[in-house]
Amino acid sequence: MNAVFFLAPVSVTIFWHKPAGRISCFMILLFKAVLAISAGFVLLAL
Amino acid sequence: MKRFGYLQDPLFCVSLTAYAVNRLVILPHLHGFLHAHGEWLWPFLHSHFDDLLMMPVALPVVLWLQRLGGLRNHDRPPGWREMSAHCAVWSVMAKIIGPFWLHIGTADPWDILYFAAGGIAACFWWNRHAFTVSRVRHEL
């Protein structure tokens, strides 16, 4: 459940930024880290 | 460079199937038989097999999500840096944050070796074409 609460805002933020085309390298790295951590929560739940 | 298949990658499909068979068939239904007859097989299947399959199963899914979200701008096979970064994050989460803070799972340091072994083997497999090409170029 934690993973869902974590994943939902992250996904929305990523898809919100994508069409805008102003995503910086730092933001990409940050989103990748958040996605990896979210996946880690899912793996923990499994 | 060969395009990476993400969720259609053969290694991902085989690993996911092996994971599902182990979790849904072998562990619950063959527990007694393997406990009695498989001296080394049972501890491996019970404790380490899932850890070995974690990177080949989880990494393609995360990279596919990155591709969907525009965070990955190519379809090359997973690189060593991608694999090791995810392996490090998931090892910390599964073996430190999970057991000590969230009280989920066990803090067995051997599991990290199995995560890494699975990731290294998978990365070699995914990048096997690159190795072949570079070796041919070197020989020429």
Side-chain angles (χ1 to χ4, degrees):
Chain A
M1 210 56 199
N2 283 343
V4 174
F5 282 122
F6 209 68
L7 268 175
V10 171
S11 323
V12 169
T13 317
I14 290 171
F15 283 95
W16 183 267
H17 274 78
K18 191 190 166 190
R22 51 192 158 80
I23 198 165
S24 68
C25 285
F26 173 74
M27 288 300 277
I28 287 175
L29 209 64
L30 189 70
F31 282 143
K32 281 183 177 181
V34 174
L35 196 63
I37 292 168
S38 309
F41 277 114
V42 175
L43 289 170
L44 274 177
L46 291 174
Chain B
M1 180 62 72
K2 201 167 184 268
R3 189 180 167 276
F4 183 55
Y6 298 100
L7 305 187
Q8 294 167 352
D9 177 64
L11 182 62
F12 167 76
C13 296
V14 169
S15 304
L16 187 64
T17 308
Y19 180 85
V21 167
N22 188 44
R23 287 294 288 263
L24 303 174
V25 179
I26 294 173
L27 293 183
H29 300 296
L30 298 176
H31 164 264
F33 176 79
L34 285 171
H35 205 62
H37 299 286
E39 258 178 48
W40 60 269
L41 189 63
W42 174 250
F44 174 72
L45 288 176
H46 183 260
S47 307
H48 302 301
F49 190 53
D50 291 352
D51 300 326
L52 203 60
L53 295 175
M54 190 190 76
M55 292 305 291
V57 170
L59 192 59
V61 178
V62 170
L63 295 183
W64 176 69
L65 288 173
Q66 286 184 8
R67 188 74 172 119
L68 276 184
L71 300 174
R72 194 173 200 256
N73 57 4
H74 60 81
D75 286 322
R76 289 195 293 273
W80 290 95
R81 251 193 290 183
E82 281 176 319
M83 188 280 290
S84 45
H86 284 90
C87 188
V89 170
W90 292 336
S91 297
V92 168
M93 290 192 70
K95 299 301 151 195
I96 296 172
I97 295 172
F100 293 115
W101 286 354
L102 305 172
H103 305 291
I104 303 169
T106 51
D108 184 0
W110 282 101
D111 290 346
I112 296 173
L113 278 181
Y114 281 93
F115 291 160
I120 289 167
C123 228
F124 268 117
W125 175 258
W126 285 323
N127 292 289
R128 66 193 184 282
H129 295 293
F131 286 118
T132 315
V133 169
S134 68
R135 205 171 60 191
V136 168
R137 276 186 192 152
H138 186 72
E139 283 171 4
L140 288 174

